[in-house]
C-alpha cells in the first residue's frame, strides 16, 4: 500500500463505524459520529486526540447530560450530500503523475521550440 498525502499514518488510518442510535448517548458516541464522517466535518478516519471529547467538561464537574449529547448528535448530523463530500477520495492516483508530467513537458516544449525556431 502506498502512503499518499491524504492517507493518515497509524492510528489515524483506523476506520470508525457509525454508532447506533441510543436513548442515552455518550460523548464517545458523539466523537464516533465525527470520526465516522456522519457529521460531514472530516474524512471517516479515527482522530487520535490527547483527551476524548467531553473529558474537560467532566473534569470541571459539568458532565454533559444525555439529553444534551442527544441534541448535539441530532444537530451535528450532516445531510447525505455533505457526508458524500467529506468521503475520502479514491482513484485519484493519476492526478499527481499527470501534473508532474505536464510540468516536465512544458520546459521541453519551450526548449525545443526555441531551438527549432531560432
Amino acid at each position: 500500500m502506498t502512503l499518499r498525502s491524504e492517507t493518515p499514518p497509524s492510528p489515524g488510518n483506523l476506520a470508525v463505524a457509525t454508532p447506533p442510535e441510543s436513548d442515552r448517548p455518550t460523548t464517545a458516541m458523539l466523537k464516533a459520529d465525527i470520526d465516522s464522517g456522519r457529521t460531514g466535518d472530516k474524512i471517516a478516519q479515527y482522530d487520535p486526540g490527547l483527551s476524548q471529547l467531553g473529558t474537560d467538561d467532566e473534569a470541571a464537574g459539568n458532565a454533559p447530560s444525555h439529553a444534551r449529547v442527544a441534541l448535539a448528535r441530532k444537530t451535528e448530523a450532516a445531510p447525505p450530500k455533505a457526508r458524500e463530500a467529506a468521503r475520502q477520495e479514491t482513484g485519484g492516483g493519476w492526478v499527481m503523475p499527470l501534473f508532474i508530467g505536464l510540468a516536465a513537458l512544458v520546459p521541453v516544449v519551450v526548449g525545443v521550440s526555441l531551438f527549432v525556431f531560432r
Side-chain angles (χ1 to χ4, degrees), residues 2 7 10 15 18 20-21 24 75 88-90 104 113:
T2 304
T7 304
S10 183
T18 304
E21 293 299 322
R24 298 177 54 87
T75 58
Q88 187 174 7
E89 291 288 324
T90 56
S113 63

Side-chain angles (χ1 to χ4, degrees), residues 12 21-22 26-27 40 43 48-49 51 54 59 64-65 70-71 73 76 79 81 87 94 97 101 111 114:
E21 293 299 322
S22 172
T26 62
T27 54
I43 62 170
S51 62
S65 67
L71 178 64
R73 287 187 77 196
E76 290 293 321
K81 187 175 182 180
R87 192 171 56 84
W94 57 271
L114 287 175

Side-chain angles (χ1 to χ4, degrees), residues 36-107:
S36 68
R38 182 173 181 250
T39 59
D41 294 342
K42 58 188 248 2
I43 62 170
Q45 297 291 332
Y46 176 71
D47 189 10
L50 183 60
S51 62
Q52 294 297 321
L53 190 63
T55 302
D56 297 336
D57 295 334
E58 290 176 13
N62 297 324
S65 67
H66 295 292
R68 289 186 60 118
V69 175
L71 178 64
R73 287 187 77 196
K74 180 181 173 187
T75 58
E76 290 293 321
K81 187 175 182 180
R83 284 187 227 162
E84 183 64 27
R87 192 171 56 84
Q88 187 174 7
E89 291 288 324
T90 56
W94 57 271
V95 175
M96 188 57 79
L98 178 66
F99 177 77
I100 292 171
L102 288 175
L105 185 63
V106 169

